Amino acid sequence: MRADTRPWESDQMAMTKLPEGDDETDRLLVQLATEAVKNARSLQASARAVRDGRQWPMAFSVAALALEELGKSSLCVSMLGMPDAMRAEMRPKFPRFFNSHEAKAACAHALLAMVAGPVPESVDRLMEEAIMAAASTNAVKFRGLYVDYTAIGDILTPQDVTAEQAQQMIDIVEAALEQAVAVEESMERPDVYLGLVRRMRASEGYLRAFNGWEEDADHLLTQTRALAQDEVSLDDAFDGTPMGEVISGLVEAQVQEHAGRPAAPREA
């Protein structure tokens, strides 16, 4: 994807950097992801209330903000799961994504496309559609808030946003919130969650899976979709792959940990 299709990669925004330490960064990302989902639920409740009052423009705009918060949470979770080298590369870029309306909306649209709706023909196509959907969401969100005019002098008002558009955005957020439940539940015990994430990041199998992502992206997309829709088990979804080895290792480590025994070294 060309950089000029991603306006959030501009250098024209100054913002707070992530902490220098890995532990501080991990804990901040967990807190941000958790609080962003909570705020998304609150915004979604407000959007539904405004919709019930037949205020379609504001309903769309508030729901769109909820979607951005879910995208923010997804971005934080993605950063938590990155191998060290990729994480170091992403670190200086993270604040731009975190503060970009379109980047956060794109993250949420991409996540939804991976687990629900029509199956994209490829990961590249999925990302292209997510970026286009994010641009549209952002434009209509601001349309619902402000009066504006076009280059030829046509007046644009919030009332241009329809009831159908408002309901569609609320439905999109509802679907995204359903996917966020697993994130909320997994982060209820931050130390346990971070222990698993760090063990995963340190796994050679995980590095192989990440390094081979581009070659096998479309297959992984299909398996992720099947897993999200309960069409296959976790074991079957990634059986025989580097990611399958990582998952088996994490499960084994957790079982032994709960049994009071240290996990045996595992060849990755």
Side-chain angles (χ1 to χ4, degrees), residues 108-177:
H109 279 295
L111 178 62
L112 266 183
M114 288 179 67
V115 299
V119 180
E121 61 187 43
S122 68
V123 172
D124 283 345
R125 184 58 184 163
L126 180 153
M127 290 308 303
E128 289 172 6
E129 291 179 354
I131 289 170
M132 289 189 292
S136 176
T137 295
N138 195 49
V140 180
K141 177 191 70 181
F142 284 116
R143 176 66 52 251
L145 296 173
Y146 303 111
V147 172
D148 205 346
Y149 66 95
T150 68
I152 60 174
D154 291 335
I155 301 296
L156 304 173
T157 73
Q159 301 313 312
D160 295 332
V161 181
T162 67
E164 181 180 3
Q165 287 174 303
Q167 186 58 54
Q168 182 182 39
M169 182 51 56
I170 288 172
D171 290 343
I172 288 172
V173 173
E174 205 63 43
L177 280 169

Side-chain angles (χ1 to χ4, degrees), residues 100-249:
S100 166
H101 297 292
E102 289 192 30
K104 290 177 288 190
C107 284
H109 279 295
L111 178 62
L112 266 183
M114 288 179 67
V115 299
V119 180
E121 61 187 43
S122 68
V123 172
D124 283 345
R125 184 58 184 163
L126 180 153
M127 290 308 303
E128 289 172 6
E129 291 179 354
I131 289 170
M132 289 189 292
S136 176
T137 295
N138 195 49
V140 180
K141 177 191 70 181
F142 284 116
R143 176 66 52 251
L145 296 173
Y146 303 111
V147 172
D148 205 346
Y149 66 95
T150 68
I152 60 174
D154 291 335
I155 301 296
L156 304 173
T157 73
Q159 301 313 312
D160 295 332
V161 181
T162 67
E164 181 180 3
Q165 287 174 303
Q167 186 58 54
Q168 182 182 39
M169 182 51 56
I170 288 172
D171 290 343
I172 288 172
V173 173
E174 205 63 43
L177 280 169
E178 289 179 11
Q179 298 303 321
V181 170
V183 173
E184 286 182 296
E185 292 177 348
S186 65
M187 292 185 176
E188 287 177 353
R189 299 171 65 191
D191 289 336
V192 174
Y193 175 80
L194 286 175
L196 285 170
V197 167
R198 288 164 180 167
R199 188 175 289 147
M200 179 181 71
R201 288 197 314 236
S203 164
E204 291 182 12
Y206 187 65
L207 292 177
R208 289 204 307 273
F210 232 96
N211 291 335
W213 160 254
E214 291 188 1
E215 297 177 7
D216 205 28
D218 295 340
H219 174 70
L220 287 174
L221 173 61
T222 300
Q223 293 302 90
T224 301
R225 169 69 63 86
L227 182 63
Q229 297 183 349
D230 294 325
E231 295 173 359
V232 296
S233 68
L234 182 61
D235 287 341
D236 290 340
F238 300 106
D239 185 40
T241 68
M243 184 56 71
E245 296 175 19
V246 175
I247 292 169
S248 296

Side-chain angles (χ1 to χ4, degrees), residues 30-41:
V30 167
Q31 291 177 322
L32 288 171
T34 302
E35 293 301 323
V37 174
K38 288 180 183 177
N39 194 38
R41 292 193 185 283

